[in-house]
Every structure is written in C-alpha cells, then in structure tokens.
Amino acid sequence: MNTLPYEITHARLCKAFSDLLDWSAPDCCFFGFGLTVNLKRECEEVSMGTMSEVVTSRPPTFEKKSSTSQAALHDKQRQTEAAQSKEKYDVHIESQLQPVEGFGPYFKLIPASGQVKELQTIIRDRNTSRSDFKFYADRLIRLVVEEGLNQLPYSDCTITTPTGCQYQGLQFVKGNCGVSIVRSGEAMEQGLRSCCRSIRLGKILVESDLETHEARVVYAKFPDDISQRKVLLMYPIMSSGNTVIKAVNVLQEHAVAEENIILLNLFSTPAAARTITTVFPKMHILTSEVHPVAPNHFGQKYFGTD
C-alpha cells in the first residue's frame, strides 16, 4: 500500500479545511477579525509552502574536511593564542615593599592595610583568648612569609597548559631553606611549610645568661649545604636585637653570606632595627611593624605557657 508523506497529508488537510470555510460569510465572524485573517493566511502558507518543500527538498550534503587540515588549523589557533597571551601579560614583576627611612635600603615593611592593622591590634590586646591569639598570629605570619618568598630568586620557565598552549612563567631557584630561632621562631615554621611544603628547616637555640644577661648559642642544626642556600631566618619579636645578632653570627660561621639571609619578623622596636641594620647592613629584613613597645608575651601566649 502506498503511503503519503506526513507533510503532503498535512498540506492537503489544511487546503480542504480552507475550502470548507467561507471566509467572507458573516458566520465566520465568531473567530474575530484578526483571528480569521491569520487563520486563513496560515492555512494558505502551510498548504503551498509545505508542498513546495517536500517536492524541492534534497538530502543535506556535508563537506568532509581532512584530518590534516583540521590539525593545521588547530595548531595555528594555539600559536595565535600563545602569542596574544605573551603580548598581553608580559609584565615585569617587582616587589611592592618600601624601605623604612633611617634603617637602610634592606629593612622593609609589608604593605600596610586595615587587615594588617587589625591583626596587630588583636595580637597586642591582653583580653584576646589564646585560641584567637594563635589564629590571628598565624594569619599575620602567613602574610609576612608570603612577602618574604617574594625576596627569593626566581628563574624563567616555559610550561605547557592542558590545552596545549605554551606559557611563559616563573619558578623558584633551587637552594632555599628556613631557620627558626627557638622558641618563638618555631611559631613561624608552619606558615612557611604551608607555602613551601618541601623546604628544609634548621634551628638555632639562643638563651640569655642568667648572670651576665648576654645571649649565647646553646644549639644549632642546619642543612649540610646551607652555605649554598638562601636562608629565611624566622624570629617574630625583636626588642633589643641581641638574639638575632647571635643567630646571624652562627650562620656566618657556617659560611652563609650576609646578603643571602632574609629575616622574617612580625614586630620590631626602633632600637632593635637600628642595632641589627648597623651590624648587618646587607641583610634583608622584613617586618610588619616598627613600634617602641613590642608584644614580648608573643611566645608564651602562642604556645600556652603564659
């Protein structure tokens, strides 16, 4: 049995329906004038347009592109994107830190902001609970450590992204380590580990003599090749600067160059800053605040021995 396509059947029904209706008769006015005109037009368009489409339509043809031309087009697009990326984002990275007047070119403060000032305020407040103290101290430590990492040397590198593009980036030059001055300096180790999880750490224990009140080194442990490394020396509170001076002397005894030492500090007094920069003018020092009164309770409060 022959069957007609759906489009032809639909067109014939619309034509038959149109013939049955007398579009000029008053009985058709129940459609409303606008509905009557639209219905008539649609029936005529469907009956004529559909028949024409059925008769004249042909199966679509698709142009088959070779895999070689597609690969070449894709490679060209990636090269263009890589060139545009290099052109738009080729910027010179430099530190935003500013030297502190009166303490030489290598003594610098991290960028001041409302957030940093709030953290300093909470740490200095005697009503701050230990849990809050440790939480906000860790936040300030992280900010100082992040800025300290900006002082380390970088080298150019080229990597390939998951989309196959070449990206011009930076990477740390190998040969960095951290050294904490026990005990309060150990509070900064976790902040450094959070940023550089595989970095090697050393320790220096400096105590004050009960009779002479002079600082003396009790214990020191460093990586064997520390003389070939950049050293991030961690000590959060500097009141007089004597402890830091003793620690740096020990590092120099292990052949660490003064310019390869970066001191990470949270709070420093002007006297301590002046003393240290006078003895070690080439050592890099990074702190969050220089104030006549240092929060000397930091170590006890942080470790819960206050």
Side-chain angles (χ1 to χ4, degrees):
M1 184 175 87
N2 296 329
T3 58
L4 294 175
Y6 167 78
E7 290 84 355
I8 297 177
T9 304
H10 179 64
R12 288 182 175 179
L13 289 176
C14 290
K15 181 66 170 59
F17 178 71
S18 177
D19 294 340
L20 288 176
L21 293 178
D22 183 4
W23 300 104
S24 61
D27 296 340
C28 293
C29 291
F30 67 93
F31 283 107
F33 179 77
L35 180 60
T36 303
V37 174
N38 291 337
L39 183 59
K40 179 180 181 181
R41 186 193 306 113
E42 290 179 4
C43 288
E44 292 175 351
E45 290 177 353
V46 169
S47 61
M48 296 182 64
T50 306
M51 290 291 291
S52 176
E53 291 176 2
V54 172
V55 173
T56 60
S57 62
R58 295 290 184 271
T61 58
F62 299 94
E63 182 183 356
K64 184 177 181 181
K65 296 184 179 180
S66 64
S67 58
T68 304
S69 62
Q70 290 180 348
L73 181 62
H74 184 58
D75 291 340
K76 184 177 181 180
Q77 182 179 2
R78 287 189 301 178
Q79 293 174 1
T80 303
E81 292 176 355
Q84 292 176 350
S85 176
K86 183 177 180 180
E87 181 179 357
K88 291 177 63 177
Y89 300 104
D90 186 14
V91 296
H92 178 64
I93 299 176
E94 58 182 13
S95 176
Q96 301 292 328
L97 306 180
Q98 298 296 327
V100 181
E101 185 177 356
F103 301 122
Y106 299 112
F107 189 98
K108 300 178 180 180
L109 290 173
I110 66 173
S113 64
Q115 177 185 205
V116 172
K117 193 64 176 179
E118 181 197 24
L119 298 177
Q120 295 167 344
T121 303
I122 295 174
I123 292 172
R124 287 180 176 275
D125 189 355
R126 67 177 182 178
N127 296 321
T128 301
S129 64
R130 179 181 174 269
S131 60
D132 287 345
F133 182 92
K134 188 175 184 303
F135 175 80
Y136 292 105
D138 286 339
R139 286 186 57 194
L140 184 60
I141 290 171
R142 181 67 178 265
L143 294 176
V144 174
V145 168
E146 293 281 7
E147 290 293 344
L149 295 177
N150 287 330
Q151 311 306 309
L152 296 176
Y154 292 83
S155 63
D156 296 330
C157 68
T158 302
I159 56 94
T160 303
T161 67
T163 59
C165 296
Q166 298 296 308
Y167 178 80
Q168 304 294 328
L170 295 175
Q171 63 182 359
F172 276 124
V173 175
K174 292 184 178 180
N176 305 311
C177 70
V179 174
S180 61
I181 301 177
V182 181
R183 171 182 176 202
S184 59
E186 293 178 308
M188 305 181 71
E189 290 183 357
Q190 183 58 43
L192 181 59
R193 286 285 194 193
S194 299
C195 301
C196 305
R197 58 184 179 182
S198 61
I199 194 169
R200 300 186 65 181
L201 295 178
K203 293 180 184 293
I204 301 178
L205 175 58
V206 181
E207 290 184 349
S208 298
D209 189 275
L210 297 177
E211 296 180 358
T212 62
H213 299 288
E214 293 184 0
R216 61 186 180 91
V217 178
V218 178
Y219 172 83
K221 180 66 175 177
F222 308 125
D224 296 335
D225 58 346
I226 192 172
S227 61
Q228 307 299 322
R229 296 174 177 266
K230 290 280 188 178
V231 179
L232 295 170
L233 184 62
M234 297 172 286
Y235 194 60
I237 309 299
M238 295 193 303
S239 296
S240 64
N242 293 332
T243 300
V244 173
I245 291 175
K246 284 292 183 181
V248 175
N249 286 335
V250 174
L251 291 174
Q252 290 183 329
E253 291 174 2
H254 287 74
V256 179
E258 179 181 325
E259 55 268 21
N260 286 342
I261 302 174
I262 302 173
L263 175 61
L264 304 182
N265 172 256
L266 301 185
F267 301 94
S268 175
T269 63
R274 192 172 296 107
T275 300
I276 295 174
T277 53
T278 301
V279 179
F280 306 112
K282 296 182 181 180
M283 182 174 69
H284 296 265
I285 304 174
L286 183 62
T287 186
S288 75
E289 185 181 42
V290 178
H291 193 275
V293 179
N296 294 318
H297 64 288
F298 184 92
Q300 291 81 4
K301 190 108 177 196
Y302 189 93
F303 292 105
T305 59
D306 52 342

